[in-house]
Amino acid sequence: MRFLLKNARLLDPGNKTDIEGWLLVEDMNIALVGTSQEGHPDVSGVEVHDLQGCWIMPGLVDMHVHLREPGQEYKETIETGTRAAAAGGFTSIACMPNTNPCNDNAAVTNFIISKATEAGYARVYPVAAITKGQKGRELTEFGELLAVGAVAFSDDGVPVADASVMRHALEYASSFNALIITHAEEPSLATGSMNEGVVSTLLGLKGIPNACEDIAVFRDTCLAELTGARLHIAHVSTKGAVEIIRLAKRRGVHVTAETAPHYFTLTEEAVTGYNTFAKMNPPLRTEEDRIAIIEGLKDGTLDAIATDHAPHSVLEKEKEFEAAANGIIGLETALPLSIELVRQGYLTPLELAFKMSYNPSHILGIGGGMLKKGMPADLCIIDPNVTFTFKKGDLFSKSYNSPWLGQKLKGRAVMTIKKGCFTHKKSG
Ligand SMILES: [Zn+2]
Ligand SMILES: [Zn+2]
């Protein structure tokens, strides 16, 4: 396998470079990279892709995905989820443990890795549970889970309610230099179904205040400071959480954080009309929060953009608002929604490559995120200007619970390459 990608904008966070150039792939690896002025080597007989107007980034990395298998294959399988990831430009994803059975033991971790290898669309890195059965009491076997391929620990879907359990989890994790990912939520305040505010009052729905997230983020950054452990905050949605993380980073706490495209794109207004495709946890917040999230991405407080891809079938979503399940799919919309931040001048294309590839891969410690000679050719080729309608029939995910269904989006992955092989190619 040998091919040349030429006339593209190469965005390499590894070298902090943004150049017009070409990239040669050989034997599954990046063989050579150069600028357009330098000219490429003789490539007679080699497949050439002229990528005028496109960007080449290292393959995207999504550190927060729910693949639903084992246990809820009617919503998504490892195969359909990773196929959707490839279509969205992702070459690596980390999957959360709230499956059935839950990923709290080596057998489930092994199962996920072997299914993902069989499917072949993306590298899958399992996140194992912090506590057995995600019940918030007894810690799982961190050493054993790391040995079989878990890359981090999280009880995502539910918070670790007891602060002393979280403290012990962080202490235990630090002995392995392992990462704890927190679903930051104070459970006693999480009894509503949307953001607490004007819209919840108008709709007559019980709300969840920002304090629900802020308290938990503050608690966990304090515990990370106490233990010296590595903490990552999932799906940041509030202005307060951004500020707490910003201050913790200034104090030298080992904390990183992610947000998801819906938190910098939508507000609580999207719930109007009791739209269950705008129901998620944490809930969509206010315009003030949305702006604070963008500011957090800009100044580096928020390190990564992750999707929190959460497929659900009509059974869970076509219900009364309060009874409907939380979450939306995100793998196939994350890139166009994030490119919008570039178009609006909040991030440069290179900064976007940091948020969607380099930073998450470094937080997880999985390598990659760079366009470097000799590295595996994990690449995402993006046409930032192509427009398309996000339609049910075009999706690779098994579920279609997305607030962007039927809408026009701009910018997408036109090719995804994992280890030198095309895992996605958009024709036309
Ligand atoms: Zn969560
Ligand atoms: Zn999640």
Side-chain angles (χ1 to χ4, degrees), residues 78 80 185 212 224 267 405:
I78 290 168
T80 60
E185 173 180 297
C212 176
T267 67
L405 212 60

Side-chain angles (χ1 to χ4, degrees), residues 64 66 96 156-157 183 235 308:
H64 194 141
H66 297 272
M96 290 298 167
D156 188 54
H183 167 109
H235 44 55
D308 199 1

Side-chain angles (χ1 to χ4, degrees), residues 195-218:
N195 182 52
E196 181 176 307
V198 185
V199 182
S200 67
T201 307
L202 284 171
L203 294 175
L205 294 169
K206 191 165 173 359
I208 303 170
N210 282 23
C212 176
E213 180 170 328
D214 300 350
I215 289 168
V217 170
F218 190 64

